[in-house]
């Protein structure tokens, strides 16, 4: 599956930012990072004005790769990391050790153990037996329509994707229910913004507040040099989540075959559930209902 960019480092804001001593809108802390009106030098150097603008999806980041049991040891200066943690590809190293970026972050990956309940929602979108994953993307023939398809893991190798759904980040897109949770993977860069705003502070603010296409968590620009640049609603002091997200304005068709499901799995298995509505079209992802 072709993609624009892979998230292998913390994505910087398109504008220069400043820290304010007031409660964060995004996290439980006593400060917030807000955007100034000045485009950052890094964004300008990567020619962000000519970059492809895509929707920033609110989920948890995932990375598809072959796991070989690599263990990373870090200095005492760093926070203790989970077992088998490995640094993201674009993290800088000194003397063989990963070092924080200018914001103090060291992005990395932890393997998903499908036998561990901690990762049950990640594992629900992967059939390890058949080697396929449940992916939400734009329809191949109509960018105004979405589709949920089963994609071979081999086709997703070295890609990063966002896991969204019932039990991720408060479920801003309204997928599934407590009785029947629904989760899918969204490849980074797959949801292109068809009418993006110019990279200018006031125009971006107006776009988020006045345009239907602006009812998204943020924008990620994929630059020609491989650099990713973002803006989040919280950078601008705007509310997220919002009612009637743009994702839910687009119809979605399901293409998940019975052969992708494990015949021994429970009736709540997502592959079984989606195969029961194979080839059906719904008005939006939140309106997907499975046969009883």
């Amino acid at each position: 599956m072709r993609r624009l960019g892979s998230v292998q480092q913390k994505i910087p804001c398109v504008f220069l930012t400043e820290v304010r001593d007031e409660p964060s809108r995004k996290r439980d802390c006593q400060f917030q990072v807000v955007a100034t009106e000045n485009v950052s030098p890094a964004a300008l150097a990567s020619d962000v004005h000519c970059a492809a603008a895509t929707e920033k999806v609110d989920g948890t980041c995932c990375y598809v790769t072959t796991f070989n049991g690599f263990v990373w040891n870090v200095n005492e200066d760093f926070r203790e990391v989970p077992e088998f943690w490995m640094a993201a590809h674009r993290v800088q190293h000194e003397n063989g050790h990963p070092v924080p970026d200018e914001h103090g972050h060291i992005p990395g990956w932890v393997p998903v153990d499908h036998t561990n309940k901690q990762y049950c929602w990640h594992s629900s979108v992967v059939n390890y037996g058949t080697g396929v994953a449940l992916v939400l993307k734009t329809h191949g023939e109509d960018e105004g329509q979405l589709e949920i398809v089963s994609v071979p893991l081999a086709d997703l190798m070295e890609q990063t994707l966002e896991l969204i759904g019932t039990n991720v980040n408060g479920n801003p897109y309204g997928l599934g229910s407590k009785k029947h949770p629904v989760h899918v993977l969204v490849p980074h860069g797959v949801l292109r913004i068809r009418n993006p705003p110019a990279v200018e502070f006031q125009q971006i603010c107006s776009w988020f507040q006045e345009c239907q296409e602006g009812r998204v968590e943020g924008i990620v620009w994929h630059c020609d040099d491989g650099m990713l640049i973002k803006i989040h609603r919280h950078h601008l002091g705007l509310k997220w989540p919002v009612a009637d997200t743009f994702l839910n304005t687009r119809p979605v068709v399901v293409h998940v075959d019975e052969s992708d499901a494990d015949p021994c799995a429970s009736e709540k298995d997502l592959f079984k559930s989606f195969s029961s509505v194979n080839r059906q079209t719904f008005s939006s992802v939140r309106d997907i209902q499975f046969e009883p």
Side-chain angles (χ1 to χ4, degrees), residues 147-189:
E147 62 178 341
I148 293 175
V149 296
S150 53
V151 177
L153 289 173
D155 292 351
L156 299 173
M157 285 295 289
E158 302 307 313
Q159 292 193 38
T160 57
L161 311 92
E162 205 78 7
L163 177 71
I164 65 171
T166 311
N167 295 289
V168 178
N169 289 2
N171 194 20
Y173 306 108
L175 274 69
S177 64
K178 185 175 181 180
K179 184 177 181 180
H180 203 140
V182 172
H183 299 85
V184 290
L185 291 167
V186 184
H188 288 136

Side-chain angles (χ1 to χ4, degrees), residues 42-112:
L44 292 172
S46 293
D47 199 13
V48 69
H49 293 283
C50 296
T54 68
E55 177 178 344
K56 184 182 185 302
V57 180
D58 189 359
T60 185
C61 194
C62 304
Y63 170 46
V64 179
T65 192
T66 301
F67 173 57
N68 58 9
F70 176 73
V71 179
W72 194 270
N73 295 314
V74 297
N75 288 329
E76 293 180 359
D77 291 339
F78 301 128
R79 181 179 173 183
E80 185 177 352
V81 297
E83 188 179 17
F84 302 123
W85 177 89
M86 66 179 184
H89 292 336
R90 293 197 176 190
V91 168
Q92 299 296 311
H93 290 72
E94 289 182 5
N95 299 320
H97 297 294
V99 295
D101 60 19
E102 65 269 27
H103 303 295
H105 298 291
I106 308 179
W109 308 104
V110 178
V112 170

